[in-house]
Amino acid sequence: MEAQDEVSAREQHFHSQVRESTICFLLFAILYIVSYFIITRYKRKSDEQEDEDAIVNRISLFLCTFTLAVSAGAVLLLPFSIISNEILLSFPHNYYIQWLNGSLIHGLWNLASLFSNLCLFVLMPFAFFFLESEGFAGLKKGLRARILETLVMLLLLALLVLGMVWVASALVDKDAASRESLYDLWEFYLPYLYSCVSLMGCLLLLLCTPVGLSRMFAVMGQLLVKPAILEDLDEQMYIVALEEEALQRRLAGLSSSVDYNVMELEQELENVKIFKTKLERRKKASAWERNLVYPAVMVLLLIETSISVLLVACNILCLLVDETAMPKGTRGPGIGNASLSAFGFVGAALEIILIFYLMVSSVVGFYSLRFFGDFIPKKDDTTMTKIIGNCVSLLVLSSALPVMSRTLGITRFDLLGDFGRFNWLGNFYIVLSYNLLFAVVTTLCLVRKFTSAVREELLKALGLHKLHLSRAPRESDTAKPSANGHQKVL
């Protein structure tokens, strides 16, 4: 009887493992297909030759697609876990959701951590070096020579990173046991290295997210149609049509030898056409779209940003009075045993919305920074090197998103897998400083955003506008053409 029970338990465990593996494979396959279509949409078409470089580009494309799929999985990891917890809590004995259990959630977290390490430290460096390799001098050119050079570069890079991490550990932690533990590559070194990368990712999110939260209003303003208040669109379109006709006549009258003037006039004509397209879109938009959708979206963005800052402020108070508020504090009741929010399913849905909002804002803020402005991909005109840089950046941001969400108190879901083993998550001063900096920087960015027009008017009233103290022109002031073909700044 005991033998039969043991065999039955093994069969159930085997079927459970097969079911979880199948679910993980299907989820990753969907993410991989979507990532492939996204990358091919931006990949430069001129890179598609039928030679050795084409094979190298194809391999790099597959590696970038895999990395982007892992990044998307890391973004969806925390929302999927939160909604799964609420579903299991609401329907604990439903036959159709038996596949959704704590073992599957823990497995997804472990796979996300494993694949993030694999992509960040192996696949992306290999793709970059393989793309830039030519083979060592004296060897026969070909794929073997390029693979050999890539492997040698990876080995040198691994030795360099190993030495840097060991020196950093020696400077930060002078305990000999902690330094000796780094010799255990799988159990200590890689998690320690990933902890350092996660900390850098969280610091990058601390820089990008507040900027993105303030930029989201301008981005949505470009995507939506603004209300036409005290504006005559017909008159503006008539002026723009005359301007376009005048520029075309000037281009037809210039000789082809005057390259500089021709290029300048072509750029002005392109700007006029873009502005004309925007005016036509505004004219075709319905009154509901102009007068209702735009204000509603702006109010919704303001509410989401305010709730985020409010939750961070509440988390700061909790950190000061309660030890369990630490990201590496006491473990919760487990998946499917208790709700993570006092408002139940509604609170969980709000947490998921805020997590996605923070991720989108961090990506917008990342590409808004001057240092990363050149990373912006262009449709059908993005090189593989730039695609690799974008994939690495998105992987770092997405891997740090669950950690940032838990550190800021956006959610109370415990970090699983290697995400919850980061040493710095148990440091009270680091976590408290992170929350304070996020709240202060976000507030300053929002105040600067909403008071920019007032500051410009004050500077003009005081006669200080010529000093260019406010270097950020308003969106409406940079794209309005004048009658003489030049950009008019109000």
Side-chain angles (χ1 to χ4, degrees), residues 35 38 307:
S35 302
I38 292 175
I307 292 176

Side-chain angles (χ1 to χ4, degrees), residues 8 59 99 101 108 227 313 331 394 474:
S8 178
I59 294 175
W99 58 271
N101 49 40
L108 289 175
R331 292 299 169 191
L394 292 177
R474 286 174 291 184

Side-chain angles (χ1 to χ4, degrees), residues 381-451:
D381 192 28
T382 306
T383 61
M384 282 303 304
T385 304
K386 188 175 291 187
I387 289 177
I388 292 174
N390 279 275
C391 289
V392 172
S393 303
L394 292 177
L395 179 62
V396 172
L397 292 176
S398 60
S399 300
L401 179 65
V403 183
M404 186 193 73
S405 302
R406 181 64 182 90
T407 304
L408 296 178
I410 303 298
T411 180
R412 294 296 176 184
F413 190 88
D414 291 323
L415 299 174
L416 305 177
D418 290 336
F419 290 93
R421 296 197 301 172
F422 298 151
N423 296 327
W424 61 271
L425 291 176
N427 192 310
F428 172 77
Y429 297 102
I430 293 179
V431 175
L432 181 63
S433 301
Y434 192 88
N435 281 263
L436 288 172
L437 284 174
F438 183 87
V440 172
V441 174
T442 302
T443 305
L444 290 178
C445 289
L446 291 176
V447 170
R448 182 178 181 273
K449 171 66 179 179
F450 290 110
T451 59

Side-chain angles (χ1 to χ4, degrees), residues 209-453:
T209 308
V211 177
L213 289 174
S214 61
R215 280 281 301 162
M216 283 294 291
F217 296 91
V219 172
M220 296 306 297
Q222 295 174 359
L223 297 176
L224 300 175
V225 178
K226 297 181 180 180
I229 302 176
L230 300 179
E231 285 184 303
D232 190 349
L233 295 180
D234 293 331
E235 181 181 357
Q236 292 188 28
M237 291 190 64
Y238 177 72
I239 295 175
V240 169
L242 292 178
E243 175 63 23
E244 182 180 4
E245 184 180 355
L247 288 174
Q248 290 176 350
R249 289 179 179 177
R250 291 180 62 185
L251 280 173
L254 287 176
S255 61
S256 60
S257 60
V258 191
D259 295 333
Y260 179 75
N261 291 335
V262 171
M263 292 178 59
E264 184 179 359
L265 288 177
E266 287 179 350
Q267 182 63 36
E268 292 180 4
L269 181 61
E270 185 67 24
N271 294 335
V272 170
K273 289 181 178 180
I274 293 175
F275 185 67
K276 182 180 179 180
T277 304
K278 292 181 179 180
L279 288 178
E280 291 176 350
R281 179 169 177 258
R282 292 182 63 185
K283 186 177 180 180
K284 293 179 181 179
S286 62
W288 289 97
E289 184 179 359
R290 289 197 305 266
N291 302 323
L292 182 62
V293 175
Y294 180 82
V297 171
M298 293 296 112
V299 171
L300 183 61
L301 292 178
L302 183 60
I303 291 175
E304 290 180 346
T305 307
S306 303
I307 292 176
S308 301
V309 177
L310 183 61
L311 288 177
V312 174
C314 294
N315 189 56
I316 293 173
L317 297 178
C318 293
L319 288 172
L320 296 175
V321 298
D322 189 5
E323 293 182 352
T324 60
M326 291 290 293
K328 205 176 180 180
T330 306
R331 292 299 169 191
I335 299 174
N337 295 326
S339 180
L340 301 174
S341 176
F343 300 99
F345 194 85
V346 177
L350 179 61
E351 290 179 359
I352 294 174
I353 293 174
L354 290 178
I355 290 172
F356 282 120
Y357 179 58
L358 290 178
M359 184 60 197
V360 174
S361 301
S362 64
V363 174
V364 172
F366 175 80
Y367 289 116
S368 299
L369 298 177
R370 292 184 179 180
F371 184 75
F372 302 107
D374 295 335
F375 273 44
I376 300 177
K378 299 178 181 179
K379 183 181 177 181
D380 297 332
D381 192 28
T382 306
T383 61
M384 282 303 304
T385 304
K386 188 175 291 187
I387 289 177
I388 292 174
N390 279 275
C391 289
V392 172
S393 303
L394 292 177
L395 179 62
V396 172
L397 292 176
S398 60
S399 300
L401 179 65
V403 183
M404 186 193 73
S405 302
R406 181 64 182 90
T407 304
L408 296 178
I410 303 298
T411 180
R412 294 296 176 184
F413 190 88
D414 291 323
L415 299 174
L416 305 177
D418 290 336
F419 290 93
R421 296 197 301 172
F422 298 151
N423 296 327
W424 61 271
L425 291 176
N427 192 310
F428 172 77
Y429 297 102
I430 293 179
V431 175
L432 181 63
S433 301
Y434 192 88
N435 281 263
L436 288 172
L437 284 174
F438 183 87
V440 172
V441 174
T442 302
T443 305
L444 290 178
C445 289
L446 291 176
V447 170
R448 182 178 181 273
K449 171 66 179 179
F450 290 110
T451 59
S452 60

Side-chain angles (χ1 to χ4, degrees), residues 3 58 69 79 110 146 165 178 181 198 227 255 263 326 349 383 403 454 466 473 479:
R58 198 173 296 116
N110 291 329
R146 299 182 72 162
V165 172
S178 64
S181 65
S198 175
S255 61
M263 292 178 59
M326 291 290 293
T383 61
V403 183
V454 178
K466 296 181 180 180

